[in-house]
Amino acid sequence: MENYKKTKIVEKPCPQPFTNLPPDIIEMKVKDGSKIRNLMGYAISKMELDSVRQILFTGSGKAVSKTITCVEIMKRRLKELHQITKVLFKQIEEIWEPIVPEAGLDALTVKRNIPAICVLLSKDALDPQEPGYQGPGIVVMVSSKGPCSCPFLLHYNAQRCVLK
């Protein structure tokens, strides 16, 4: 590939994995260079409004982990959010042109499948039978001796949760 340079990247559109979304849904398109602080400031301010019931986070490639981080921050800040996660692949085409056109080399087209994630967060209940569904979690409290999912936990015992 030392005789080629990448001249163009074409991202093929992929179908939206969620159907029946409102047309005015807020979609947070997370990119590799996006600042989490900026994304979360906007997303949380919108979700705190009573009129906004759902938000969609999308990211692909190197931005998948940043997308998941944003979703987890959102779920921690705003309790009782329902979540549906869809994992898919986006296809991109890279066009490589020869550095020296007189060398007789042809242009190359490289097709790549990159991972992508779409996460729908909703204040309203979603279909629990939908693949990728996560309901609002139980509050986990941690004592100095270990974790427990008992919401009234004041002390953790190896055999059981003990209320003080």
Side-chain angles (χ1 to χ4, degrees), residues 31-162:
K31 304 287 184 190
D32 187 34
S34 300
K35 301 283 187 219
I36 292 177
R37 176 179 352 122
N38 297 340
L39 291 167
M40 296 315 300
Y42 180 78
I44 290 172
S45 67
K46 288 295 185 182
M47 279 298 279
E48 286 176 341
L49 300 173
D50 288 334
S51 61
V52 177
R53 306 302 298 167
Q54 295 179 332
I55 191 166
L56 181 66
F57 282 88
T58 60
S60 61
K62 294 178 182 177
V64 168
S65 61
K66 192 174 282 193
T67 305
I68 294 168
T69 300
C70 290
V71 168
E72 293 302 322
I73 291 170
M74 179 72 82
K75 287 176 15 182
R76 182 168 292 187
R77 289 286 294 273
L78 301 172
K79 308 292 186 211
E80 301 300 316
L81 288 177
H82 298 263
Q83 171 183 341
I84 295 180
T85 304
K86 301 286 185 186
V87 179
L88 52 125
F89 286 94
K90 291 173 80 172
Q91 189 177 69
I92 61 169
E93 283 186 2
E94 298 174 345
I95 311 297
W96 293 75
E97 298 285 339
I99 295 173
V100 182
E102 298 83 29
L105 299 172
D106 293 332
L108 299 175
T109 301
V110 178
K111 294 181 181 181
R112 295 180 190 258
N113 290 319
I114 58 170
I117 191 167
C118 295
V119 182
L120 176 65
L121 294 176
S122 176
K123 293 177 185 176
D124 303 321
L126 298 170
D127 181 12
Q129 301 305 315
E130 180 79 24
Y133 174 79
Q134 284 184 327
I138 297 174
V139 176
V140 176
M141 301 175 129
V142 179
S143 72
S144 61
K145 294 186 179 182
C148 181
S149 60
C150 176
F152 304 104
L153 175 68
L154 298 176
H155 178 73
Y156 180 79
N157 186 310
Q159 283 78 28
R160 65 187 192 285
C161 295
V162 178

